[in-house]
Amino acid sequence: MITKIEIKDCASYDPEGVVLNDLKEVNFIYGANGSGKTTISNVIANLHAYPQCQISWKNNFELKPFVYNRNFIDENFSKSRYLKGVFTLGKGGKDEKELIDAKKAEIDKVNADIVANVAGIEKHKNEKEANETQFEGDCWVKYQQLKDIFKPAFKSCSYKNTFKERCKAEANNTSTLLNLEVLKEKAGRIYSGSTEPKGDISLVDFKTLEETETHFIFGKKILGKEDVDIAAMIKKLNNSDWVKQGRSFYSVNDGFCPFCQQKTPNNLESKLNEYFNETYVNQLKTLTDQKAEYSTQTAIIVSEIASLLNSKNDIIDNVRLEELKKMLEIKIEANKGKIEAKIKEPSSTITLDTIKTELDLINELITTAKKKIELHNETVKNITRESSQLTKEVWRYIVEQLKSVYQNYNAKNITFTKSIEGLEKSKKANDDKLKILKAEISELEQLNTGVEHTKNEINTLLEKFGFTNFKLTEATEEKGSYQIIRPTGERVERTLSEGEKTFITFLYFYHWLKGSIDKDLISVDRVVVFDDPISSLDCDVLFIVSHLIRKTIDEIRSKTSNIKQIIILTHNVYFHKEVTFNIKRQEANRLKDETFWVLRKKNDVSKIFLHEKNPVQTSYELLWREVKENPDSITIENSLRRIIENYFKMFGGISPDDILNRLDDEDKMTAASLLSWSNAGSHGLNDDLYIATESEKYLKVFKTIFERTKHIEHYNMMMGISPEVEEPINIE
């Protein structure tokens, strides 16, 4: 059966979600419409559609869920004119049934053996894990003792698990066994220097930068075309850059000089454009390109030097390198300023200061460091060999120290492993036996099943309870299915009322629980969910449905059914009262095999709460509410009787005989009938069916009783006649 349901991040359930834990054989969930009940039933019916939700099963044995909700009605009634035939055991001989029952009992025994197998496997796995943890701890103690002395030897196993595994791997170490003092002496000598080879570093390549520094464009005056008639004047005044800047103002000033504001010659603009020709533009572009190239090349070089400094390589002179880097950056910034000045005044010439001197000095530092690296790496080769040998000797020492600990661990580990393997073998044998038994039951069921029995049972119930205008019959067009017809033989199609449709689909589902639409699944154990089975039913049918569900609960409790668990969800207070009725329950305390839950939605988020007692009881206020709001109800007489019993017995101190003695003879018989009205839920199915009477007559006598007993104020208050009336207490 289901032990836990986790629902989150779907419908009205937030990412935190809710948990229904420690579920029992019988489970009641009360919640108003829209509180999230259907989501729970949908998750149980089709968990794969809700990957964020989880269902836990007792002993990890998953049972087949049978869920009655709106989806079931739609799938089995609304979408097809036929209902799939329900196969039940009922056609075969007594001997065949007894054989099936015997094999099912054997299955239960095999399942119990499998549970024992699983429990034993889990127990030995836990013991094996505890043994592993203990050995790991013993190893780690040795690590803590030696880690500071032989750290390089533990380079790849400085965690508990990795150190433990290394201890096991070194169990057959045959290196020379040295004492601790000798090992310490060797470690002091070998570990004093670095045993790691150092990576090479590269010289700074500045050939491309040298070419950029000496580019011709920096020393060339960038001037306009000399054969234009205004060129002589510009050359004489040496104001080419000034004219170039003024062009931008002239072009937007509508032919007026931007300086004197006088009208200029009509051909001045064309002469200026001719002077600053394509050659001028191209030379200016070359200049800007070289600016970008210089910035790129110097940035690369500075970045390489910075990376070398950031590596904190102790072989190179980082102090001197930092000094040279700063000198380099000063020159670079100065050269950038020169280039920027020439871009502003293209007719000028500049000469960049070369940074070759600084770069040569930097490369000298790098060359010296490279030689040191070569020397270091050559030395490391010999140390590596000695260090490797020392590591083997250290582990030989550790193995010897842990010898007895390891032997004890290994012996236990072998025992646990063999036990687990034996139980797993036994479980497999039981699994195979289970498959054979299920196959044998399936074969017997093929010969011992039919769909007619279910049809007859449903029709009997329909007729018994007054539903005579339709019935089930086996479909002629689709063998093994049912169709719903009128007494005339006419198909009902869509002419059934909502209540009739809900009732017949409930009866169909109820009998489906006794069998299966698949011959091979008749005897499988199952979990049943009823999601608001009376949402569209009349009051008189409510008692039929509640009786059948209580009967199912009784079968679960008596273990006479393959239904192992039931979950009932409802918003109907009265139905909840009826279906939870149990004469053994005292003061609403829940029984050992049941749970009570209340589902609420606050701020559009569903939450669920477990209750130790039945949270929905037939309260005194609820009875009065029924009288006020539903006086024509088929159960009104019973509600009136219960109010009288509760009030006058518990509060008024007046007995039924006293009440009758205060009434006129005309009302006495009606009152006597009212006071003797049968108690719902305390008897059989047929007694749960009430026959409609003249409710007005009983309501009149009901009020008269309060008048004659001088308790009319209470009547007025509860009926809302008095201005001091209080709001009815809501059932939470």
Side-chain angles (χ1 to χ4, degrees):
M1 70 177 187
I2 297 172
T3 57
K4 183 169 72 173
I5 304 173
E6 298 177 66
I7 302 178
K8 57 185 176 182
D9 205 17
C10 59
S12 57
Y13 295 87
D14 61 13
E16 180 182 349
V18 302
V19 177
L20 288 80
N21 213 348
D22 197 24
L23 295 172
K24 306 297 184 182
E25 287 84 354
V26 183
N27 306 276
F28 303 100
I29 302 174
Y30 175 79
N33 283 331
S35 60
K37 299 189 301 296
T38 298
T39 301
I40 295 176
S41 66
N42 286 338
V43 168
I44 297 173
N46 188 16
L47 181 61
H48 298 296
Y50 302 87
Q52 66 277 37
C53 301
Q54 290 186 351
I55 294 178
S56 301
W57 297 87
K58 185 178 180 179
N59 297 323
N60 292 320
F61 281 161
E62 186 173 344
L63 306 183
K64 182 174 178 59
F66 283 64
V67 179
Y68 180 84
N69 59 12
R70 175 52 58 182
N71 288 342
F72 175 84
I73 297 174
D74 292 341
E75 289 293 330
N76 292 276
F77 187 91
S78 303
K79 294 183 179 181
S80 174
R81 68 196 315 184
Y82 302 110
L83 292 170
K84 295 178 181 178
V86 177
F87 294 92
T88 57
L89 296 173
K91 282 184 169 283
K94 180 180 179 182
D95 292 342
E96 289 175 320
K97 289 183 180 179
E98 288 178 351
L99 185 57
I100 291 174
D101 289 340
K103 290 188 178 295
K104 288 178 68 176
E106 193 173 350
I107 283 177
D108 290 340
K109 183 180 180 304
V110 173
N111 278 332
D113 290 341
I114 291 173
V115 170
N117 293 150
V118 172
I121 292 169
E122 188 67 23
K123 175 178 175 292
H124 290 309
K125 282 185 175 179
N126 290 337
E127 291 172 339
K128 186 178 179 181
E129 185 177 341
N131 184 47
E132 197 76 22
T133 302
Q134 179 62 49
F135 180 63
E136 182 177 85
D138 293 336
C139 293
W140 195 243
V141 170
K142 189 59 60 179
Y143 171 82
Q144 295 292 337
Q145 294 171 351
L146 304 175
K147 66 177 182 177
D148 294 331
I149 306 170
F150 305 112
K151 188 176 181 179
F154 306 147
K155 182 180 178 182
S156 60
C157 50
S158 56
Y159 296 96
K160 281 187 177 182
N161 183 61
T162 55
F163 189 84
K164 173 201 67 179
E165 293 300 322
R166 181 68 179 272
C167 288
K168 290 193 282 185
E170 296 285 347
N172 297 318
N173 189 314
T174 57
S175 299
T176 304
L177 179 61
L178 304 176
N179 62 46
L180 185 58
E181 293 304 316
V182 173
L183 291 172
K184 285 181 178 180
E185 185 276 325
K186 292 184 70 172
R189 175 170 51 83
I190 295 172
Y191 297 156
S192 60
S194 175
T195 59
E196 293 292 329
K198 296 184 181 293
D200 196 16
I201 54 179
S202 301
L203 295 172
V204 179
D205 183 8
F206 56 92
K207 184 177 180 180
T208 304
L209 180 63
E210 284 186 299
E211 295 175 357
T212 302
E213 286 180 338
T214 57
H215 199 279
F216 78 92
I217 199 66
F218 297 130
K220 180 174 179 60
K221 291 186 177 183
I222 302 175
L223 301 170
K225 190 176 180 183
E226 293 186 354
D227 58 355
V228 181
D229 57 2
I230 65 173
M233 179 188 70
I234 292 173
K235 185 175 182 181
K236 180 181 179 181
L237 296 174
N238 195 26
N239 63 351
S240 173
D241 300 328
W242 183 83
V243 174
K244 175 178 173 296
Q245 294 175 10
R247 285 178 69 203
S248 61
F249 300 105
Y250 176 78
S251 63
V252 298
N253 204 37
D254 298 325
F256 287 86
C257 177
F259 304 104
C260 68
Q261 295 298 309
Q262 299 298 313
K263 183 70 176 178
T264 59
N266 292 333
N267 62 348
L268 178 60
E269 185 174 8
S270 63
K271 289 180 179 180
L272 289 172
N273 289 337
E274 188 178 358
Y275 180 78
F276 296 105
N277 62 359
E278 185 178 355
T279 300
Y280 181 91
V281 173
N282 289 340
Q283 289 177 350
L284 200 61
K285 183 178 182 304
T286 299
L287 179 61
T288 56
D289 289 347
Q290 289 304 306
K291 174 192 173 185
E293 183 68 19
Y294 185 82
S295 294
T296 300
Q297 292 296 325
T298 54
I300 292 172
I301 291 172
V302 171
S303 178
E304 288 179 4
I305 298 169
S307 296
L308 190 58
L309 284 167
N310 292 334
S311 68
K312 301 187 184 303
N313 196 320
D314 57 356
I315 289 187
I316 199 168
D317 188 349
N318 288 293
V319 176
R320 178 58 176 160
L321 182 61
E322 182 67 39
E323 292 176 355
L324 292 171
K325 176 175 174 290
K326 289 180 180 178
M327 294 169 62
L328 194 69
E329 289 172 337
I330 291 171
K331 276 193 176 182
I332 290 171
E333 289 304 311
N335 284 336
K336 286 181 178 179
K338 289 182 179 181
I339 297 172
E340 193 63 39
K342 180 168 176 60
I343 291 174
K344 290 180 180 179
E345 296 183 12
S347 64
S348 65
T349 62
I350 61 172
T351 300
L352 300 182
D353 292 334
T354 183
I355 58 176
K356 182 177 181 302
T357 302
E358 287 75 17
L359 291 175
D360 283 340
L361 291 171
I362 288 172
N363 277 338
E364 286 180 10
L365 289 177
I366 294 174
T367 300
T368 301
K370 286 171 70 69
K371 291 178 180 179
K372 291 180 180 179
I373 290 172
E374 290 177 5
L375 182 62
H376 170 81
N377 289 344
E378 185 63 30
T379 304
V380 164
K381 287 182 181 180
N382 295 327
I383 294 178
T384 301
R385 286 192 294 268
E386 291 189 41
S387 179
S388 177
Q389 181 60 34
L390 176 58
T391 297
K392 293 177 182 178
E393 292 165 349
V394 169
W395 279 105
R396 175 69 177 88
Y397 172 80
I398 292 172
V399 167
E400 186 66 23
Q401 291 290 302
L402 295 173
K403 185 176 181 179
S404 61
V405 173
Y406 177 75
Q407 288 174 344
N408 183 53
Y409 154 78
N410 198 45
K412 288 183 178 180
N413 195 57
I414 292 172
T415 300
F416 295 141
T417 301
K418 287 183 177 179
S419 297
I420 292 169
E421 289 174 351
L423 287 168
E424 287 178 340
K425 185 178 179 180
S426 177
K427 181 180 178 299
K428 185 181 183 304
N430 284 322
D431 287 337
D432 293 340
K433 189 185 296 184
L434 195 63
K435 289 178 182 178
I436 294 172
L437 286 168
K438 288 181 176 180
E440 290 173 348
I441 289 176
S442 178
E443 186 177 348
L444 288 168
E445 289 175 343
Q446 295 291 325
L447 304 172
N448 196 37
T449 59
V451 300
E452 187 177 356
H453 178 72
T454 296
K455 177 204 70 174
N456 293 337
E457 286 290 310
I458 292 176
N459 286 339
T460 298
L461 283 174
L462 288 172
E463 184 178 356
K464 186 175 182 179
F465 302 128
F467 293 88
T468 58
N469 61 338
F470 63 90
K471 65 178 181 178
L472 285 186
T473 185
E474 291 189 55
T476 55
E477 297 90 344
E478 190 167 331
K479 188 173 176 62
S481 298
Y482 309 129
Q483 61 184 5
I484 307 172
I485 62 171
R486 299 293 186 192
T488 60
E490 177 188 4
R491 290 174 178 162
V492 299
E493 299 296 339
R494 304 183 185 278
T495 61
L496 289 179
S497 70
E498 191 67 22
E500 290 172 332
K501 182 172 69 174
T502 304
F503 185 47
I504 194 167
T505 50
F506 172 82
L507 293 179
Y508 174 76
F509 178 82
Y510 176 76
H511 285 85
W512 186 21
L513 299 179
K514 311 295 183 181
S516 174
I517 59 175
D518 189 336
K519 283 186 177 182
D520 297 330
L521 299 177
I522 294 175
S523 299
V524 300
D525 292 340
R526 57 200 64 187
V527 169
V528 177
V529 180
F530 289 99
D531 181 5
D532 258 341
I534 47 82
S535 58
S536 301
L537 299 178
D538 297 332
C539 290
D540 53 348
V541 178
L542 179 148
F543 301 104
I544 304 171
V545 173
S546 34
H547 174 82
L548 294 175
I549 294 178
R550 288 203 308 272
K551 186 177 179 182
T552 303
I553 294 173
D554 290 340
E555 291 172 352
I556 294 173
R557 284 172 165 155
S558 62
K559 304 190 184 304
T560 57
S561 166
N562 55 354
I563 301 173
K564 303 303 179 183
Q565 185 180 36
I566 189 169
I567 299 173
I568 303 166
L569 306 101
T570 185
H571 76 284
N572 187 296
V573 174
Y574 203 87
F575 171 74
H576 188 279
K577 175 264 171 188
E578 290 296 325
V579 81
T580 59
F581 176 82
N582 192 314
I583 198 169
K584 296 180 180 179
R585 187 180 297 109
Q586 297 181 356
E587 298 182 358
N589 292 320
R590 67 183 179 96
L591 303 176
K592 291 181 179 180
D593 63 351
E594 64 185 7
T595 63
F596 290 100
W597 305 82
V598 173
L599 189 62
R600 298 191 181 98
K601 189 161 73 173
K602 186 176 182 180
N603 298 326
D604 294 327
V605 177
S606 295
K607 297 294 180 183
I608 199 161
F609 304 90
L610 177 65
H611 290 259
E612 289 300 316
K613 294 185 176 183
N614 189 345
V616 181
Q617 303 175 43
T618 308
S619 70
Y620 187 63
E621 289 81 3
L622 179 61
L623 294 171
W624 278 99
R625 188 188 306 169
E626 184 175 3
V627 175
K628 286 193 298 182
E629 299 176 359
N630 197 16
D632 296 322
S633 168
I634 197 155
T635 63
I636 188 65
E637 292 85 0
N638 198 37
S639 297
L640 297 176
R641 181 193 62 80
R642 292 181 180 182
I643 289 174
I644 294 171
E645 283 186 349
N646 277 276
Y647 181 73
F648 290 101
K649 184 177 180 180
M650 301 300 295
F651 304 106
I654 302 174
S655 68
D657 289 339
D658 291 337
I659 293 172
L660 292 176
N661 291 332
R662 302 187 189 202
L663 299 178
D664 297 331
D665 291 340
E666 181 182 351
D667 295 328
K668 276 186 180 180
M669 289 193 63
T670 302
S673 174
L674 180 62
L675 292 172
S676 63
W677 199 265
S678 57
N679 184 12
S682 62
H683 28 69
L685 174 61
N686 293 335
D687 293 331
D688 279 345
L689 303 178
Y690 297 103
I691 301 172
T693 59
E694 296 179 3
S695 60
E696 290 183 3
K697 183 179 179 181
Y698 287 98
L699 288 168
K700 177 178 175 297
V701 172
F702 177 73
K703 182 179 181 181
T704 301
I705 288 173
F706 281 89
E707 289 174 340
R708 296 295 177 88
T709 56
K710 298 181 180 181
H711 286 270
I712 191 63
E713 292 85 2
H714 182 73
Y715 174 92
N716 290 336
M717 182 185 70
M718 300 306 293
M719 292 296 290
I721 299 173
S722 172
E724 293 83 17
V725 64
E726 298 179 3
E727 289 292 321
I729 299 174
N730 293 325
I731 302 295
E732 297 291 342

